[in-house]
Amino acid sequence: MAGAGGGLRVWGNLVLLGLCSWTGTRATAPNPVRNLTVGTQTTSSISLSWEVLDDPQNSTYRVQCTGDCGRTETRTTTYTVTVDGLKPGSLCTCSVWVEKDGVNSSVGTVTTATAPNPVRNLTVEAQTNSSLALTWEAPEGPDPQNSTYWVEYTRDGGRSETRSTTGTNITVDGLEPGSLYVFSVWVEKNGINSSRETGNATTAPSPVRNLRVESQTTSSISLSWEVPNGPDPQNSTYWVQCTGDCGRTETQTTTDTNVTVDGLEPGSLYTFSVWVEKDGINSSVETVTTAPAPNPVRNLTVEAQTNSSLALTWEAPEGPDPQNSTYWVEYTRDSGRSETRSTTGTNITVDGLEPGSLYVFSMWVEKNGINSSRETGNATTAPNPVTNVHVETQTNSSITQSWDVPSGPDPQDYTYGVEYTADGGGTETRNTAKASVTAEGLEPGTLYTFSVWAEKNGARGSRQNLSISTVPNAVRNLSRQDGTNSSITLRWTAPQGPGQASYTYWVSWIGEGMTDPRTQNTSDTELILKELEAGLLYHLTVWAERNEVRGYNSTLTAATAPSEVTDLQNKTQTKNSVTLWWKAPGDPHFQLYIYWVQWASEGRPQRGQYPRANWANQTRRTNETQYKVEALEPGTLYNFTVWAERNDVASSMQSLRASTYPDAVTITSCVSTSGGYGVILTWSCPQGGYEAFELEVRGQRGSQDRSSCGKGVSVSGLGPAQSYPATITTIWDGMRVASPSVTCHTESAGVIAGAIVGILLFLILVGLLFFFLKRRNKKNPQKPELGDLVFRSGGSTDSEDEEEEDEEEEEDEEGIGCAARGGATPMSYPSPGPQPPGPSWTATFDPVPTDAPTSPRVSREEELHTGPPAPQGPLSVSQDLPTEDLASPPARDALQLRSQDPTPPSAPQEATEGSKVIEPSAPCQALVSIGDLQATFHGIRSAPNSSDSATRDPATSVPASGAHQRPQTTDGEKSPEPLGLPQSQSAQALTPPPIPNGSAPEGPASPGSQ
């Protein structure tokens, strides 16, 4: 920094000088110096010189040096200057300018450096026969690390060579062995060399050549070598040093190129070192490690022989450390080539030999590369083993094996041994001259180990082992236990064999149309084969496996069940058939399916009895997806089951419950009730089952329970003299079957009675008129005769007409009274219900004899009296009809209406087809005879006609049962039975009531006598 400050001051002075010159009288600047050069440089000074152009007398030369040289200084001098006091090896910048008349010239500069200090302590570190290793210390001074060191070396009378390095050591190689070299070392820094440091050194001589062991015994070693390369080898001295396992070190010298070292241990390792010495300098050392020969092996013997090897054994030789020895065996076949093997142990197996051959062998020890003397012997190899031992055949009780004869000389002379052992059993051995053997009497499914060997000249070959098992027996009782449409369950029994034997069972199956069978194994005696196709026939094979040997096959043909039918439905049905329809399963082979339809009745009611159940199943088959089941019982509930079948395997069942339609009834009779206000229907019990019946008459309906068939059912609320269509509907299991319609006719008797009543009323009015006129005539004797006003009815007399007029008058009064009382008939017997009908009939009038008495007479002929007619509206059907005698006592003073047709009593008129009993249409009903009318007018009663009462049914005013024939019935139609009577009972003719006491013979009795 001082040098830099001085420079600044110089430049500042120059600037001030320039400014003063510019402000004042301006002087001309002198010329600068020329050829500024560095003259000499030392470690502390630099010499500078230059040339001048101006007059040197009036000029002043100024020099300023700055930089690493360690000082900054300005000097006034002439043409040359030496700047000293600098640092060694430092870089300086020196400036030179001319000053004249106070004016400075331009500055000339030069950069240079001082010389570095020389190296210190230059020494020879090492020498070889071709190099010198020099070392030194770095010179004193600043920053020695950036120095370059130069080495110059020169052989006596030879040329110089230079090497450089940046370190403080160097190895100069490529030198001549045993030669003297002069060397100089200096430092260069900033291009400036230091002073030199010099010295000399000699290279080492070359080592001996081809050091080798010439010979060795168990106690000595002889060495030899060649003289080294280099000038004047004859003046060399050779040193030999021996170091070995014995622990001693010996050194001896010689001027010869060989030496023998004795007194050594046998087999011990020694290291020999040999070097050359010349001019006090030793060459490098040449070494060789060797040992004396070891002692030979002891007790060499043949331990074992095989078909390809000999096993030799021996004892280690005497001497130190026998463990590190290597043993060599050389063996030679008869007239053959020799081969050598080595080992570190005391035994060896020499293999790769020919079977059955004689070999001569030699044994020696090698230790530390030295062989002992040899021990010799001979031995024979065993025959080769048999090859390709394999099983020819195997059953559940025998195994046959065979093999190939061994390779080698004279194979015909071999004998073979076979040994076999069962698991946990004994061992058996057989010998044979053949290359095969059969072992018999073995256990099935048992593993045996066989050993086979060849033997020749008393030497056995090695064994060839083979483990093989007898064939397991076939599984037993293979059967198909169960199956679905996608699985088959198989079951079997373990095969016969040794107890507690464990088997692996294999099942193989292949279906129709399949090319690749599938296989599955199990340790159980049951297996479910899954993921099968529905309705497919499979061929199944099952076998047991043990010890990797497959047993005998057991086969079975089984099929999967078809898939179940779907959408089973009752398509149509009649009373004797049901048509079933279903969808075929969606299986691949559904077109080959057979469908089975099975049905059985669940029972049907039979005339008050319990249903018959557990009918035998009936089964039919079809190839279609529908089937009509025929010949069924009507009105019967059936359970239908449908399943598919293929290969005698059925699918799961689909069931359906359906009934046949009930049978239609046959209406056997439709009889009008008395008066024509109802009918009594009778129908047959239908075949099969039925739950109830529904009657429909005139559009009105009513229900009947199942016990009403075969019995009469009364239907009221009808009109007389009408025709009504009637049907009976059989009801069963929600199904309804109507019978053929039958037209029922009600009786017209009520209409006729109404007409007669109207006539009677008219006659009563006329009679009243006549009565009043007659009474008036009594008062007036001049009243004219009215004898000509007579109403006749079928042969009646005038007197009878008069009597009838009186009676009509009384009847009129009574009729008015009855009407006022609401239609109650005096002395009428109440009817408990609808009256039992008789055959269809027509009302007739009985003729009155002309000679009959004129006194009034009331007919005692019986007549049925019914209650008021049933109101119109819903059909009223009587459920239970009375069974007692329905003949009621005749109404007092009741009149019997007789027929106008004068039919003789002995031949009563038969009721014609279609005639009906008509009930009275008026509330007060009375059937009167003409005689009763006459008695009314004349106060007398006529005696009863015996023939009339005898020939007529008093209950119906028709011919009596003895003289009356029942109407004919059509084929297949039952005769009508009395309403309310059981089917087992027949209709009975009504018995007329007894004649009242007090009447004349065969005449009516008085009511009080009952």
Side-chain angles (χ1 to χ4, degrees), residues 260-282:
T260 297
V261 180
D262 51 10
L264 306 179
E265 292 288 338
S268 297
L269 186 64
Y270 291 92
T271 300
F272 296 91
S273 301
V274 178
W275 67 91
V276 181
E277 178 187 354
K278 187 178 182 182
D279 298 331
I281 298 176
N282 294 332

Side-chain angles (χ1 to χ4, degrees), residues 688-845:
Y690 46 91
E691 295 175 348
F693 301 98
E694 185 179 88
L695 285 67
E696 182 175 359
V697 179
R698 198 185 62 180
Q700 301 184 41
R701 297 178 181 175
S703 298
Q704 290 291 300
D705 60 23
R706 60 183 311 277
S707 64
S708 60
C709 65
K711 302 176 183 179
V713 176
S714 178
V715 180
S716 61
L718 308 180
Q722 300 289 326
S723 296
Y724 294 98
T727 58
I728 308 296
T729 299
T730 308
I731 299 174
W732 166 255
D733 196 21
M735 294 179 286
R736 307 161 61 86
V737 176
S739 69
S741 179
V742 174
T743 302
C744 296
H745 302 278
T746 56
E747 289 183 351
S748 59
V751 177
I752 295 173
I756 293 175
V757 170
I759 294 172
L760 290 177
L761 289 177
F762 175 75
L763 292 177
I764 289 172
L765 290 177
V766 173
L768 289 175
L769 179 61
F770 179 78
F771 177 74
F772 285 118
L773 290 177
K774 184 177 180 180
R775 291 184 65 177
R776 192 175 62 180
N777 290 336
K778 288 180 179 180
K779 295 178 182 182
N780 188 3
Q782 301 298 325
K783 187 177 75 168
E785 287 293 336
L786 298 176
D788 296 332
L789 186 61
V790 178
F791 292 88
R792 296 183 182 274
S793 176
S796 61
T797 62
D798 293 341
S799 62
E800 288 174 345
D801 291 340
E802 291 176 359
E803 291 174 358
E804 286 175 0
E805 288 176 0
D806 294 338
E807 289 177 357
E808 284 175 0
E809 193 173 343
E810 292 175 3
E811 272 303 313
D812 185 44
E813 293 175 357
E814 292 176 359
I816 295 172
C818 288
R821 288 191 302 267
T825 303
M827 298 300 293
S828 63
Y829 291 89
S831 176
Q835 302 302 312
S840 300
W841 56 278
T842 302
T844 60
F845 293 96

